[in-house]
DNA sequence: CTCCAAAGGTATGTCTGCGAGCCATTGGCG
DNA sequence: CGCCAATGGCTCGCAGACATACCTTTGGAG
């Protein structure tokens, strides 16, 4: 029996119970900026269907987010559950997963996504979308930078046309953000980051896969070494 | 709200119930060759702990595998559940997931894994392991080729040192194999495949990331176009 | 030859999560 | 002004999964 591959295949079949997983997903959609502050989440019935859990479980998850001041709910038609304008700082507790693990997977997924996106012929809507996210990220205030940054990176993953790849990037990014929340965000880094973003998007729009990969790799290696520096 | 990213984030939180997921994992460990024919699975109690499910659920999953002639169980000390020497052909039913989806993710993950593995300084044990898997694959009979091939590719993923990446490759590979089971395996393809494997492993052992990526990309693109050809 | 550790086989009570239905609230439309 | 559709709020019974405990079988160690 191949000993080491077992660790991957015989890992736990589920990350947590249905409630915890649901909270995690909703939290991701907020923290990654897929649902922005002030915007409404899909209805409970809708979420229950999409997430494949019961409405009861969705409600418990939403209640948990309410209690932690991430969302607030309003009843009645045109009511719903809305993301609050001011979001609480993420709890600092959490153990760091294996740093190498997280960064390795992120590098593979995101450089691959950039390369793949650059190799496709993108439609006008996709091109506009990428440019819009780039603009958002570059003009965003410090406090909302992480969210806008994630939206840009997710848009790149989406541009590959692979839902599975997009999902993988979203998950890996979430794990990376947990780490990034522990290091300071400085103006110079941000400016540098924006310049790199521009090169990545330009390469993708130009249809230059190799350049897109290189630019993304450089971008990620920057934050990776920042991380390794700050987290011992 | 960013519309398309929702598909990724609001996808179902769990693929199936605990029983189905457990069957899936055990099946993967057999089909990917992590537990070879004649070998013993970990004990029920052990599996229950590792997979994070109850022993009852593990037993139901194993029973299902017994009924489908994948394994047989023996009681008493030094007993256990053993993979049968002759495995049934996989059921042909199954819907094809989105072909583009599966192949895109596989390409990103595996070319990334090859590049990453080549960029690390591997220990003697790892180098021996890679060479052993290569040897196994190249000398394997037609019937067991897919399994040996998967073991080789998993070994490459493991050589990155990232458990998360290994798990992602295992899952993506399983999905790809479901498709590959529907196309014929021919001797010439196999010889070609072995030659490519050799170049991949050589590049990794030589520590040449760019060459490893190129070789892996070529290898995957070969089977990808085979697939696209056969599946409409 | 006996003992016993380790494996599969079985049974039971509890709890989580689900499905389904109904209630309460709200704001636009006719 | 009244209706009503869409939303969140709530309850109850059932099925799946779990933890735990105990039984049975087997073959090596002593």
């Amino acid at each position: 029996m191949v000993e080491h591959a077992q660790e991957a295949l015989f890992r736990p079949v589920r990350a947590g119970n249905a409630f915890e997983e649901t909270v995690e997903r909703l939290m991701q959609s907020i923290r990654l900026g897929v649902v922005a502050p002030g915007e409404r989440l899909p209805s409970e019935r809708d979420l229950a269907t999409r997430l494949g859990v019961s409405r009861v479980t969705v409600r418990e998850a939403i209640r948990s987010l309410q209690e932690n001041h991430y969302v607030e709910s309003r009843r009645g038609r045109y009511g719903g559950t809305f993301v609050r304008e001011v979001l609480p700082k993420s709890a600092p507790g959490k153990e760091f997963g294996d740093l190498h693990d997280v960064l390795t997977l992120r590098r593979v997924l995101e450089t691959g996504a950039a390369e793949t996106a650059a190799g496709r012929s993108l439609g006008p809507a996709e091109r506009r979308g990428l440019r819009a996210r780039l603009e958002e990220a570059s003009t965003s205030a410090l406090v909302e930078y992480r969210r806008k940054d994630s939206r840009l990176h997710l848009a790149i993953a989406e541009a590959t046309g692979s839902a599975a790849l997009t999902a993988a990037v979203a998950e890996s990014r979430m794990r990376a953000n947990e780490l990034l929340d522990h290091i300071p965000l400085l103006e110079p880094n941000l400016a540098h980051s924006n310049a790199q973003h521009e090169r990545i998007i330009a390469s993708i729009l130009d249809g230059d896969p190799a350049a897109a990969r290189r630019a993304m790799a450089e971008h990620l290696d920057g934050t990776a070494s920042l991380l390794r520096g700050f987290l011992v």
Side-chain angles (χ1 to χ4, degrees), chain A residues 106-205:
Chain A
R106 180 179 77 143
R107 194 176 198 281
V108 165
L109 286 172
E110 300 218 24
T111 57
E115 180 180 40
T116 307
R120 297 185 76 212
S121 57
L122 301 174
E126 285 174 307
R127 303 177 77 86
R128 266 198 308 278
L130 285 175
R131 269 194 272 263
R133 299 285 159 273
L134 174 61
E135 174 69 13
E136 278 178 20
S138 66
T139 60
S140 85
L142 249 171
V143 290
E144 55 179 12
Y145 186 73
R146 201 91 76 207
R147 201 170 59 239
K148 296 295 176 64
D149 180 56
S150 288
R151 280 174 69 143
L152 172 59
H153 282 262
L154 276 182
I156 293 171
E158 278 178 41
T160 63
S162 166
L165 180 52
T166 307
V169 168
E171 196 180 318
S172 125
R173 210 163 177 82
M174 196 63 203
R175 291 215 278 152
N177 277 352
E178 279 174 19
L179 303 179
L180 289 166
D181 282 342
H182 293 270
I183 66 173
L185 198 56
L186 304 171
E187 286 285 359
N189 299 345
L190 199 144
H192 191 205
S193 210
N194 281 330
Q196 293 177 323
H197 281 164
E198 266 176 52
R199 287 204 296 129
I200 296 168
I201 297 297
S203 303
I204 291 176
L205 294 177

Side-chain angles (χ1 to χ4, degrees), chain A residues 65-134:
Chain A
L65 293 188
Q66 287 168 348
E67 284 165 1
N68 289 287
H69 310 287
Y70 281 90
V71 301
E72 49 194 354
S73 299
R74 291 200 292 275
R75 295 172 67 158
R77 191 168 186 176
Y78 305 99
T81 299
F82 297 81
V83 177
R84 298 185 74 149
E85 295 289 348
V86 289
L87 293 174
K89 295 198 174 300
S90 66
K94 290 239 183 178
E95 288 303 313
F96 300 146
D98 187 1
L99 190 60
H100 169 75
D101 218 62
V102 174
L103 295 179
T104 301
L105 182 58
R106 180 179 77 143
R107 194 176 198 281
V108 165
L109 286 172
E110 300 218 24
T111 57
E115 180 180 40
T116 307
R120 297 185 76 212
S121 57
L122 301 174
E126 285 174 307
R127 303 177 77 86
R128 266 198 308 278
L130 285 175
R131 269 194 272 263
R133 299 285 159 273
L134 174 61

Side-chain angles (χ1 to χ4, degrees), chain A residues 20-21 25 41-42 57 77 127 186 193 203 216 221:
Chain A
E20 287 168 354
E21 295 251 297
R25 282 295 182 78
L41 287 173
T57 304
R77 191 168 186 176
R127 303 177 77 86
L186 304 171
S193 210
S203 303
M216 180 63 90
D221 288 346

Side-chain angles (χ1 to χ4, degrees), chain A residues 209-223:
Chain A
R213 160 176 292 281
R214 268 199 312 278
M216 180 63 90
E218 209 175 297
H219 179 50
L220 295 177
D221 288 346
T223 61

